[in-house]
DNA sequence: GAATATTTCGGAAACGTTTCCATAATTAAA
DNA sequence: TTTAATTATGGAAACGTTTCCGAAATATTC
């Protein structure tokens, strides 16, 4: 089975490859008659253009690289679904990588992408990512890169976030309103921006309320789920334990629920819980979990629209250095109400 | 900023492009001295090879296409994580598409992939996919394609599944053992293989038990979540309602839980529930959900290993036409026990 | 020391497109 | 009719690699 390419079509039709190419691309300088002939044969032989020859020639791959720190997470899946809903209409393809919260892995992925494999990058940095040298490299190469959720502040590009500070504040405020006196904040890492912002909102709420505050209420967790469970358990053991918990990521709320199940403590009677989370079944948990959920789909769509504008329009207006905020929404459920 | 490519390096070094290329690829026919010089300059100028030129030349893209019917689903995320853990060591990239359970979308994706954009395809077909003409096309083009979970039986290639029949049987048997007399089976579609197999297991268990059986116990649902909820609610309303439910997919179990929450029926007292599901927090539901969970990570790893063997070894042994079974495991929780 | 093998490199073709440039044929303008 | 503009096509270069084919220069063998 000879591979059917433009040259082959041309020879079969007794035309030049350039004519065939133009006909296939519906160029104005080709007569209707030849166009028809070419199209017919292309269809008959099921001609498929070679994307790599095209990319090589056009210096564009019609591919977008996505880097997320975790794949088994509704939030990121929703963002990608949103993004794909926009990009697929433009014929763009999605190359998706999981950095696994590992900055070394992240660097490796970035290095793959520097060769021009993708026309743009959409990413959420790993929790380990403190320096952004590798990201600067991308920017300097002129590859459009935008961030969402976990952003790299020092790269001058568009970043999509939610109202992390405000949400952290509101979540904490809600717990205070429910009568909590000692509220613990579960954080994944101090490196990442959203952690900081949410923490600041928490701190602000505590300060405003004039409740006593102890540094140890801030629990910095790691990637090691077992260790996290131990740390959380230790926190819940003493009599001076917190009566409220706000978790800055879904994963830690789940661990908290699991730990609490092993103890005699009841939610919400003994401990009230609120978490940032995009799980679809918060309602079905025991007890239903109060959540602050991010507009994941919207964020994905916004990323997609921005990129498509940049990549498909001739007008090369650069991507603005700005932070776009799409607000989260809190849904109070039983886990935080007496 | 001139783009740094092999030609540019060659001119800077006063060498031929062929020499530079060979040096970069550590060819045996280049002296250590020149290799060192080339490497040094390449590093200094941060040379990155153009993947498309390479792909065009080599007729291989180092890219694998993945098509899943649903992105917001732990099972598929876990499979992809497993797959990536294998393929990334070989420097392969993952192009991931969501068919959204839509066979037309699936066809569109397939047509994108026919041009040689990927070296192989891993997929789980949509629930609408009854004919597999479009998949045959892939096979005929010589692009390796393998299936997992939802397979296309008539394509002679390797398919990875779990013991669907047995699991359907065991799940149903378990409900019978718990005293259920009228067990409903929730199915997403009769088209897909896993649905059929799981259903057959269910039927076998019912038959063996000599319980009465009514066709209407088999509830065929759709992609419309609202409609599914309505249908399930209707089923639960009459006095002749089922006292046991086995759901062939996670999504329908969730809908069932949601519907049940609105009624006065209690799980497991009034209705016992078992579901195929890979959710990580079945333990935390109210009540904890008895699950049959597939070895998603293992399936992904198995797919990855098979493909890497096929794609990286010289020995062109073709992919076998066989079905490989990796067993699921049932975890009984409160939702199915009195 | 002549013949042969080995090492090391250069030139050019090839992968499949698209597009620049040229040109013959046709049509419009003068 | 002659000249200019338009239409429709062909030829060839270019994108950045890799590799086939040669061919010097050096090393080895008899």
């Amino acid at each position: 089975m000879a591979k059917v390419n433009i040259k082959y079509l041309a020879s079969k039709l007794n035309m030049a490859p350039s004519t065939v190419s133009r006909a296939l691309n519906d160029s104005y300088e080709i007569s209707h008659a030849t166009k028809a002939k070419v199209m017919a044969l292309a269809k008959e032989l099921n001609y498929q253009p070679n994307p790599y020859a095209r990319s090589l020639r056009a210096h564009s791959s019609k591919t977008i690289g996505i880097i997320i720190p975790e794949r088994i997470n509704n939030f990121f899946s929703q963002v990608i679904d949103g993004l794909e809903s926009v990009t697929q209409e433009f014929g763009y393809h999605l190359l998706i990588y999981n950095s696994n919260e590992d900055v070394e892995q992240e660097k490796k992925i970035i290095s793959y992408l520097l060769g021009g494999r993708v026309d743009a990058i959409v990413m959420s940095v790993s929790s380990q990512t403190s320096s952004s040298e590798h990201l600067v490299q991308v920017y300097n190469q002129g590859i459009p890169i935008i961030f969402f959720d976990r952003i790299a502040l020092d790269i001058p590009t568009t970043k999509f976030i939610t109202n992390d500070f405000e949400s952290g504040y509101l979540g904490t405020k809600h717990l205070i309103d429910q009568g909590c006196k000692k509220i613990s904040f579960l954080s994944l890492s101090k490196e990442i921006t959203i952690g900081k912002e949410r923490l600041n909102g928490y701190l602000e709420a505590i300060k405003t309320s004039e409740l006593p505050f102890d540094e140890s209420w801030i629990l910095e967790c790691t990637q090691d789920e077992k260790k996290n469970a131990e740390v959380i358990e230790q926190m819940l053991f003493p009599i001076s334990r917190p009566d409220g918990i706000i978790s800055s990521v879904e994963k830690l709320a789940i661990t908290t629920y699991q730990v609490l199940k092993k103890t005699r403590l009841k939610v919400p009677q003994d401990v009230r819980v609120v978490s940032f989370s995009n799980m679809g079944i918060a309602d079905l948990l025991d007890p239903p979990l109060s959540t602050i959920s991010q507009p994941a789909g919207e964020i994905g769509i916004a990323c997609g629209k921005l990129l498509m504008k940049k990549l498909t329009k001739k007008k090369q207006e650069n991507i603005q250095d700005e932070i776009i905020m799409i607000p989260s929404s809190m849904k109070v459920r039983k886990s935080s109400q007496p």
Side-chain angles (χ1 to χ4, degrees), chain A:
Chain A
M1 189 180 66
K3 48 220 139 153
V4 27
N5 53 30
I6 286 193
K7 257 187 222 167
Y8 182 77
L9 290 180
S11 75
K12 278 275 173 193
L13 288 163
N14 262 347
M15 301 193 223
S18 48
T19 307
V20 175
S21 169
R22 277 183 277 238
L24 289 169
N25 290 315
D26 200 25
S27 161
Y28 69 97
E29 35 183 7
I30 299 294
S31 71
H32 289 286
T34 32
K35 269 185 199 173
K37 270 192 259 175
V38 172
M39 294 294 195
L41 187 67
K43 188 153 193 180
E44 187 195 329
L45 299 183
N46 194 25
Y47 164 75
Q48 295 287 347
N50 181 312
Y52 297 112
R54 209 172 241 182
S55 293
L56 177 59
R57 186 51 227 226
H59 295 286
S60 100
S61 60
K62 287 232 165 197
T63 304
I64 292 169
I66 301 178
I67 308 176
I68 53 174
E70 193 180 15
R71 206 191 299 274
I72 303 172
N73 179 318
N74 272 352
F75 171 68
F76 292 111
S77 296
Q78 288 168 346
V79 170
I80 296 175
D81 260 356
L83 185 65
E84 191 181 35
S85 74
V86 176
T87 55
Q88 61 119 318
E89 285 181 33
F90 292 85
Y92 273 75
H93 302 255
L94 263 32
L95 224 32
I96 305 177
Y97 301 86
N98 178 2
S99 70
N100 245 307
E101 302 279 18
D102 177 357
V103 68
E104 290 308 320
Q105 185 64 27
E106 188 176 285
K107 285 180 188 170
K108 217 159 117 188
I109 295 166
I110 289 286
S111 77
Y112 288 152
L113 265 35
L114 281 178
R117 189 176 288 271
V118 296
D119 295 345
I121 296 176
V122 180
M123 80 180 284
S124 202
V125 304
S126 91
S127 56
Q128 288 184 354
T129 305
S130 51
S131 148
S132 53
E133 286 172 58
H134 54 304
L135 306 175
V136 171
Q137 217 179 340
V138 174
Y139 182 78
N140 286 342
Q141 286 235 345
I143 302 173
I145 180 170
I146 63 180
F147 297 92
F148 68 95
D149 194 44
R150 314 225 203 133
I151 65 180
L153 273 174
D154 46 347
I155 312 283
T157 182
T158 301
K159 299 124 190 164
F160 292 91
I161 57 165
T162 186
N163 50 348
D164 290 298
F165 177 88
E166 195 184 343
S167 299
Y169 177 86
L170 286 177
T172 310
K173 184 71 167 41
H174 165 67
L175 287 177
I176 294 170
D177 290 345
Q178 298 304 312
C180 295
K181 303 289 181 199
K182 298 178 221 160
I183 301 172
S184 170
F185 182 91
L186 306 186
S187 135
L188 194 58
S189 157
K190 278 186 181 154
E191 301 296 352
I192 54 181
T193 47
I194 52 164
K196 286 183 205 158
E197 283 304 305
R198 291 172 186 177
L199 177 60
N200 286 339
Y202 158 82
L203 290 173
E204 175 71 16
I206 299 279
K207 212 167 81 184
T208 313
S209 72
E210 294 174 3
L211 283 176
F213 172 64
D214 189 319
E215 271 289 345
S216 70
W217 296 133
I218 301 173
L219 209 63
E220 183 150 352
C221 299
T222 64
Q223 289 312 316
D224 185 334
E225 295 205 18
K226 270 197 182 170
K227 267 196 188 162
N228 291 344
E230 282 170 23
V231 176
I232 293 172
E233 196 169 355
Q234 276 172 18
M235 175 181 78
L236 291 170
F237 192 71
I239 191 72
S240 65
R241 65 168 186 271
D243 54 5
I245 295 178
I246 176 164
S247 169
S248 64
V249 292
E250 179 178 301
K251 199 198 290 188
L252 295 176
I254 291 172
T255 305
T256 302
Y257 260 53
Q258 284 163 342
V259 169
L260 280 166
K261 258 210 158 180
K262 294 199 299 178
T263 70
R264 267 185 258 148
L265 299 172
K266 291 287 168 212
V267 180
Q269 293 83 347
D270 302 314
V271 191
R272 310 204 207 296
V273 182
V274 171
S275 179
F276 283 80
S277 162
N278 275 60
M279 72 171 79
I281 53 174
D283 257 327
L284 302 179
L285 294 192
D286 179 23
L289 174 64
S290 295
T291 55
I292 298 164
S293 50
Q294 305 188 64
E298 276 183 69
I299 291 178
I301 290 174
C303 288
K305 283 187 178 167
L306 176 66
L307 283 185
M308 290 303 95
K309 203 173 104 188
K310 164 74 180 167
L311 295 177
T312 62
K313 306 276 182 188
K314 297 274 175 184
K315 288 216 354 157
Q316 277 276 46
E317 47 180 300
N318 258 329
I319 292 181
Q320 294 294 315
D321 177 15
E322 60 181 335
I323 296 184
I324 295 177
M325 193 273 287
I326 307 180
S328 291
S329 57
M330 178 160 70
K331 178 109 188 210
V332 173
R333 297 194 182 85
K334 217 172 171 185
S335 73
S336 64
Q337 281 180 318

